[in-house]
Structure formats: structure tokens, C-alpha cells
Amino acid sequence: MSIKSEKDLLALMRIGRIVGLTLKHMQTQLRPGMTTEELDAVGAKFLTHQGARPAPRLVYKFPGVTCISINDEAAHGIPGKRLIHEGDLVNIDVSAELDGYYADTGATTPVPPISAVQQQLCDCTRKALDNAIRAARAGQPLNVIGRAVEAQAKSCGFQIIRELGGHGVGRGLHESPRNVPNFYEPRLKQPLTEGMVLTIEPFLTTRARRVVTDPDGWTLRTPDGSLTAQYEHTIVITEDRPLLLTAV
């Protein structure tokens, strides 16, 4: 969506802060030995207390409140009985709705101790997000986001999952533009306009460039066991640095 009024902006800031705080709270409660189901319950309780509704369940009937993906799982991991261990990379993706407005955020949280490669993967992915956010200004083509992510990934020697990218968000969980690639697409010249609301979410891996779907119909993982990392913010495009709705 594009923001049309102060009401739009305030409502998006409200739900953006809620999902950002939910993610942060889940990260602080994450412990080795707990299950992903228990971690999801932490997020569910926090969202309920804030009066927000989990978007994956609301929109897609996802069997969880949040998506929790570990190691080679890139996205849409279903919370369940799986134990979280030391050395895991735990990706938590939180999206929710309040008063008809949606926001979406995510982050990979390492569970110490981790390897140097795991740390580098997380650092590089976070840097890719920062660079893409810096590039996303009104008047620039949409493909500047992918250019920034791809350049950072290459500088670190990592790969990009090409099927997964950002998207428009606001009045729905997924809106136009339906795909904001994390690689440079020369034909993607649609201009970024002031007030446009979208997510930027680079997905980097140690080797793989694609994902496969598990038999559960939801979980997306690398076909070769490559480790993955993802960081995500919902942003509002301006003439200067974007407004980060989900940063807390």
C-alpha cells in the first residue's frame, strides 16, 4: 500500500512496533532446550496482550502464530516439538494485524556457541538488509534493493535464495509489489514512491540458491543442508532514509 493519511501512518507505526517488540521479546526468551512450540507460545501471549492477531494464521491458516525456522530451514518453519540446541541459527518471523493494518519483521538469532561461518553469515545478511534500506529512496527503481543485497552477499562469498524476497504490505500481509527480489533484476524499473510500504528481507545461505518444500507443505529448506539467515523490516519509502516501522 501507499500511505494516504496520518491515520494510515499512525496505524502502521502501531502494528509495526507491536511485531517488532514481539520479535525482541521472543529473542530474549529463547533458550537451548526449549521447543519451537514453546517459543511460539511466548510470541502468541505477547501478541494477544497487545490486541494483535497473528497474520500467518489469519491470512493463510498457518499452523502456528509465528514462523520459526532453524539452520537449513529458510522460512515458514512450523512450531512444534523440535528442540532448540546450542549452535543453532533460529529464525523468528513475526507478522500481525491490528485494526486492518499489517506489519512483518524477522531475524535470525544465533544460539551460542556458534562457528565463525555462522557468525559471518548472520553479520553479512544483516549488513545486506542495512545496505538495501539505505538504497531504498523515493525516485529510485525497485531493483536498487536487490542490487544492494546481491553486492553484499557476493562480497562475503555467500549465496542468495532467489525464490524468496520482500513484498508490499499494509492493508494485507502480501500486497503489490508482490516480489522484491534480493538480486539485481534489470527489468524491474518500477519507481519507489514516497509513502510506499514494503518489506525488505534478504535470505542468504552458505551455498544453496534455492529451496525445497518439506512434506508438511510449509517449511522451506535448502536442498543440500546449507545454513540460512534472514533479517527483515517493514519500511515506508521517503525521499531520504526509509521509516523503519518494525525497528524497536
Side-chain angles (χ1 to χ4, degrees):
M1 70 173 284
S2 289
I3 291 174
K4 303 297 184 184
S5 66
E6 184 178 4
K7 175 190 173 187
D8 285 342
L9 179 58
L10 291 176
L12 285 166
M13 290 176 67
R14 188 176 303 117
I15 186 59
R17 179 169 174 78
I18 287 171
V19 298
L21 287 172
T22 303
L23 172 61
K24 186 174 182 179
H25 180 61
M26 292 176 71
Q27 289 177 306
T28 63
Q29 297 301 304
L30 194 163
R31 299 286 186 276
M34 74 189 310
T35 66
T36 55
E37 186 176 60
E38 289 170 334
L39 182 58
D40 188 57
V42 171
K45 183 177 180 180
F46 195 92
L47 283 175
T48 298
H49 182 72
Q50 300 295 322
R53 297 189 293 174
R57 180 174 290 174
L58 178 65
V59 178
Y60 296 112
K61 295 182 170 53
F62 179 74
V65 169
T66 65
C67 300
I68 302 175
S69 311
I70 299 178
N71 296 332
D72 63 332
E73 297 172 345
H76 305 164
I78 300 174
K81 303 301 182 185
R82 180 173 181 173
L83 291 175
I84 295 169
H85 298 288
E86 293 180 348
D88 281 341
L89 297 181
V90 181
N91 180 268
I92 305 169
D93 194 305
V94 181
S95 56
E97 178 272 343
L98 180 66
D99 297 331
Y101 292 87
Y102 291 77
D104 192 359
T105 191
T108 296
T109 303
V111 184
I114 61 169
S115 69
V117 170
Q118 287 175 304
Q119 187 64 61
Q120 186 184 14
L121 178 63
C122 291
D123 292 345
C124 186
T125 310
R126 192 183 294 107
K127 180 66 172 176
L129 174 60
D130 290 343
N131 290 351
I133 288 172
R134 191 175 298 112
R137 300 189 179 200
Q140 293 295 312
L142 188 61
N143 61 20
V144 298
I145 294 172
R147 186 199 291 269
V149 173
E150 186 172 31
Q152 181 62 31
K154 285 183 176 179
S155 75
C156 299
F158 294 126
Q159 300 295 332
I160 294 163
I161 299 176
R162 296 177 72 88
E163 301 110 303
L164 300 177
H167 54 86
V169 66
R171 281 295 195 171
L173 180 57
H174 293 98
E175 297 182 339
S176 179
R178 292 285 175 174
N179 183 34
V180 181
N182 288 312
F183 57 92
Y184 179 62
E185 173 51 75
R187 295 171 296 179
L188 203 61
K189 296 179 180 179
Q190 172 187 346
L192 296 168
T193 57
E194 189 163 6
M196 180 184 289
V197 187
L198 50 83
T199 72
I200 297 179
E201 46 181 316
F203 291 83
L204 271 56
T205 81
T206 49
R207 293 185 306 275
R209 298 182 181 182
R210 55 183 291 265
V211 288
V212 294
T213 306
D214 274 4
D216 62 26
W218 292 101
T219 307
L220 302 177
R221 72 171 68 242
T222 57
D224 60 358
S226 295
L227 295 175
T228 71
Q230 178 249 19
Y231 294 88
E232 174 185 14
H233 275 309
T234 296
I235 69 169
V236 180
I237 298 297
T238 73
E239 292 182 354
D240 200 351
R241 184 175 172 86
L243 175 62
L244 306 186
L245 296 177
T246 49
V248 294

